Amino acid sequence: MNSTSNAFRTIMTQWAKRTKPVPPTAFDQVMFLAAVGPLEERMGHDRREKISCQCSHFHADARRMVESKSNRGFRIGNQKESTFVSLHADDDTDDNQREAKTSFMDESVEDDDIDEGIDDEGGEDHKVVLMTKSTGRYEDHIDSDEHFETLIRKYLNIYEQYNDDSIIISQHDAEEIRSCLAFLETRARSKRLSREDVDRSFQGAHISEKLLNLLIIAIPSHQTMSKDHKDRFVMVEDFNQVLTIWKYTTKGLKKYFHHRYEEVKDIKEHFKQVLQYQRRIACRCIFASERTEKLLNEMNRLSVEGYSYLRPTQYTYECVLGSWSLSSRELSFMLRGEGKAAGALQKVYPRYTLNHSHPELANNPWDDPSILDQYKLLDPAKKADEILESLFTLEELDSTEFRVSPWAIERTLASWVHVKIRPRRFTHIKSKPPQVDIVDEDELDYEAQEELYVPARAEELMWRLFDLSQSNSEDIRPLRNSIFRSVISSWSHSNHPNGHHNAERILTKMGELYDMGKLSSMPTPDIFNAVIGSWARRSQSMPLDAPSRCVAILKHMEQIADSNMNLDTHDNDQQVFDVHQKWKDFCVDEKTYHIVFGAFKSALHSKLLNTSDSVFDVAYQADDLLQHLTHRCKMGKEEATPSGEIYAIVAKCYGKAIELLSNEISRDDEVLKETDVGFICVHHQGTEKHLLSALKRLNLLLDEMERGDGSHISDLSINTYLEVLKAWVNATVIPDSEREALQIFQRVKLMGHPNLLPSAEMYDLTISALLRRKTSNNSSEALELLKEQERLHLEGNPSYKPSIKLYRSMLAAFKDRPDEFSFLLNHMTMLYESNVIDELQDKNGSTTLGFNEILELWTTVEDSESDAASWGESMLLKVAGAVYSSNARCPDSTKILRTTNFNTVIKTWLEAGKLHRAESLLDEMERLSHHRLLNDIKPDHLSFHSLIRNMIEDDLSHAEVTAERLLQRMRTCGKIPNHLTYHLILDSMVKSSRGQANSILKAEKLLKNIESASFATTRHLRPNTKLTNILLQGWVQSTDNRKGVMARKLLEWMLSEYQNGNSFIKPNSSSYNLVMKACIKSSKFLRPQQKKRNFEIVQKTFEELTRSQNARPGVISYRIMLTASQLLLPEGPERQSQVKKVFDDCCRMGLVDEIAYSIFLDIGDDNTVSSTFGQDVITWAKLPIEWKRNGLSHRDEHS
């Protein structure tokens, strides 16, 4: 005991004075013995009393050593007034509760696999200091050691309250700060059992940086002290200690966050939670990496400024490197998660929503999602690689202090391997909504070129590791297979055009090195599978070469495995025997075969396979491999057996080839029929034989699978039967192919196997094939199969519900048989009633058959609009009634029914001519909308617009009353009438007026009151040109002789409104033309005085049109003027003079068209015509082009 106590005093003295570096092992022993609390937890019950007694002496010695030091202070205030305050706290806390301090200098971090993270170390479950953001102070959450809690709170308050220039700390203060750092390091190493513990660990790491800053602040003030003072306030170990805290803070984040989301049934919520956890992990890892890098830069800065003893050590660099390597992995996982979420949900939740579900974390700097926007996928790996290169440079300068360890190379290699999959589409997802969604193509090209560097750099580091493993150093372990596999996988997943060749090259080199004895472990089947996978991933770009190469590698593996089984055949060749002896444990597993057959399946999706011959080549290769596998099973080599899924892949290959060949034959036949040479047979007789041979081979595949031609009976797969059935259905050129498809279907049914029940897709395919040839026998069999499918669904098998496409086909097939048609329609409605209710209640994101689709199918039946509307209304009211009668409380977010559903039924009632039923349903909508779960069915503008025209036309004598009632009803429902509403009302009133001036005047009154009626609403409406032109058109169609005068008054009102500031009612060309047209309509019933008055209106209106800045006369305008001259002016010189003047003006404007020319020839006398054209009248086509240059562009002008 005395010797141990003396050793303790010696080490503590060295640690307090810091006159020379303390060996880490001795320092660890002292701090370990000083931590009685954690020590007692680790010791057995029998030894606790003895250890506690010994350690109590150690604590007393350590306490006396600390208290014997001279106490210094810190300065508060400015330079004029200084106050020295003691920082030493009188603390009687039991030192037996201090945490253990373990070494951070001899830390050895290794991974069992290059793709796996660093395992968390064990320890006690402690809480750390938490900061209250509102006050900036730290609350008491340390329940294991109140002494360290008090010290941490004291120094953090000093750090928060005083400027750097006003703080001077003593050596004793520095010792206490170091003890706090040791305590926080122990906490960081301890086991974290909950998410709250992880959050507290980040708080502790943030606190440790602030404590370190206090030590750094003391460096300049220390320089003003005596020259003989040799104590150092901050050491490299202090920086490394904080780095260690950050390292252990990020270790195991995936363990505590990933896969700890709540089990939810909603797939959207599932993806959202997983993505949020992935983003949080990546955000925290990148933040920790930035902090470690900042500490490294701070050490380099201080060492350059003269504090050479603060030069970073190898452990410093490796801590930062490991942190960036971890960030590379988590950022890659996050980007892949965003890609999966986008594929599953068709959208990606913005990154700025990270803390929406946890607002208490929003103020944490390590949970700021904007960090993620600052880094692209390759950036963390680049950071790690830069640090590794720095280590290589330092090793060249000082190999005694710096040595690049295999661990550093492995972690850098892992950081590059983690970016093997690059989801390029998702690198532009920002934490804030982008202002402009533009992707720079040049940037993408640069990133794509940069990505090609990734696997090459990973391979370069792998061979560096290999060179290190060849040295005779005992502390360097042999190169593991996992490193080779990860680099091969990097080449496999890259976009490099020769990635598959490079992956295979590494495998070949591995085999050579293993045969030469330079590799201790042989290439395992997993590595071969990775190479085969690299070829399989390129099956879509190389649909013929990639699968064949996969087969070649597979057979090479079989050759190695077969040679190992016959080692006795090489007795005469010792060298060959030794080589095969080394490979004796090699075997081919079942996964290899599935990867190869997966390559054939992937090749079918290639766009390059656009002909039947190319697809048949793939099918033959897959079939040959299947026969090869069956033969091996018969020979007793049972590494794999032909499974049902393998048979399904081969059948799928044949099926696509058959579909393409059948389509090619049909397409050629259609071309010949279109050219009336269909009697010519362009197909060689062998083409159909080829097709029949492939179909026959598919039937044989079913026989082989059922019989089990290998040593074991194959597991039967329903997918194989489905692919064969599809092939027969797609073989449309084969006579009676639907009968063969029916036989395949019956074959599955007769087997009676519980795992081989016909699927709903098989029912659909068989029924569709039978309906393709419309015979009575086929139709009857299809109807029976449909009834059987409905029965299976009603017995509790929801997957057997017939699809909408199938019902449409059946209804089309039985459209000439009313009884069967009605039976199908009623069964369909009954079968889908529950789906429609679910859809109306928004319980499912999508349904097989929608509410509107059933209404559409009902309306296909002759004179069935009333039945369709009656069914639709009953369904809506049934759902609404269930809401009212149910006592269960539904969430407010649930949407029960929608306005569009009711609008569809209202439209159907109107099409059926049941206006009162449509209006009654509108009343029901208003009543139901008062329920909180039915507030989405309030009548909207479309609901009223559907009724306006029908209701006004239904009661023409009270059109204006009906219109006003509808407008008032809209306002009561909170729907402000808009321009479309008034357009419908005015148009209906005008069309229903039958030319009566009284109705048009009432419409004018409604138009002029639009503005005053809208003043009471938030939306200010004003009369516009389109609405006024509707009334002008009404005056044109009126039977009143004064309609020209009334139209002119309405035009003058338009002009006055426009001059008073209503820019929406600006008259256009149509407005002027309609006024002129109203003056010449019904001219034969006018007296001469009325005709003269109307012509004056026409002439005045035309002159205003020519002077207008907003309109100009067109072809229609000149036609009306010529016609007005003919109808309103008496025969004589005045008419001819007016006609001549108008036509000359028309020619000058270049607006002469054929109609205007014909009118001029009809009303002009010989003198007028000859004065224009001369003695010979020419046709319109021979007129000067200048006369009609603008006429073509105005010929479509409407009046």
Side-chain angles (χ1 to χ4, degrees), residues 528-529 532-533 535-536 539 546-555 557-558 588-603 621-622 625-626 646 649:
F528 279 88
N529 291 343
I532 295 176
W535 282 95
S539 295
S548 61
R549 186 56 188 164
C550 291
V551 173
I553 299 174
L554 169 63
K555 292 186 176 181
M557 295 174 66
E558 293 175 345
V588 184
D589 58 6
E590 188 174 1
K591 181 180 178 181
T592 308
Y593 290 94
H594 284 282
I595 295 175
V596 177
F597 279 103
F600 289 107
K601 184 178 180 180
S602 178
Q621 290 184 45
L625 182 60
L626 174 61
I646 290 178
I649 292 174

Side-chain angles (χ1 to χ4, degrees), residues 127-147:
K127 297 180 181 178
V128 297
V129 177
L130 289 179
M131 184 176 69
T132 303
K133 289 293 179 181
S134 59
T135 61
R137 300 301 183 92
Y138 289 81
E139 298 177 348
D140 183 3
H141 286 283
I142 303 180
D143 56 4
S144 61
D145 199 314
E146 296 179 359
H147 172 68

Side-chain angles (χ1 to χ4, degrees), residues 27 29 140 190 349 388 396 466 565 599 601 623 721 752 763 817 920 988 998 1016 1155 1166 1171:
F27 179 72
Q29 292 173 7
D140 183 3
S190 64
Y349 292 95
L388 180 67
E396 293 177 1
F466 174 76
M565 299 174 61
K601 184 178 180 180
D623 198 0
Y721 293 95
Y763 275 97
R817 298 160 66 175
S920 175
S988 300
N998 190 33
I1155 297 177
D1166 295 340
S1171 64

Side-chain angles (χ1 to χ4, degrees), residues 839 849-857 871 900-901 904-905:
E839 180 192 32
L849 188 62
F851 174 77
N852 294 342
E853 289 180 285
I854 289 186
L855 280 178
E856 181 185 349
L857 287 175
W871 173 85
T900 54
N901 304 132
T904 304
V905 179

Side-chain angles (χ1 to χ4, degrees), residues 960-1001:
E960 66 281 1
V961 177
T962 305
E964 186 60 37
R965 182 167 59 88
L966 283 172
L967 291 174
Q968 185 59 36
R969 188 171 181 179
M970 288 183 68
R971 298 186 186 102
T972 304
C973 292
K975 299 300 177 184
I976 308 303
N978 53 25
H979 283 103
L980 179 58
T981 308
Y982 284 100
H983 185 283
L984 291 171
I985 292 176
L986 294 175
D987 188 58
S988 300
M989 293 178 68
V990 168
K991 290 181 178 179
S992 63
S993 65
R994 293 190 177 94
Q996 297 179 3
N998 190 33
S999 298
I1000 301 176
L1001 289 173

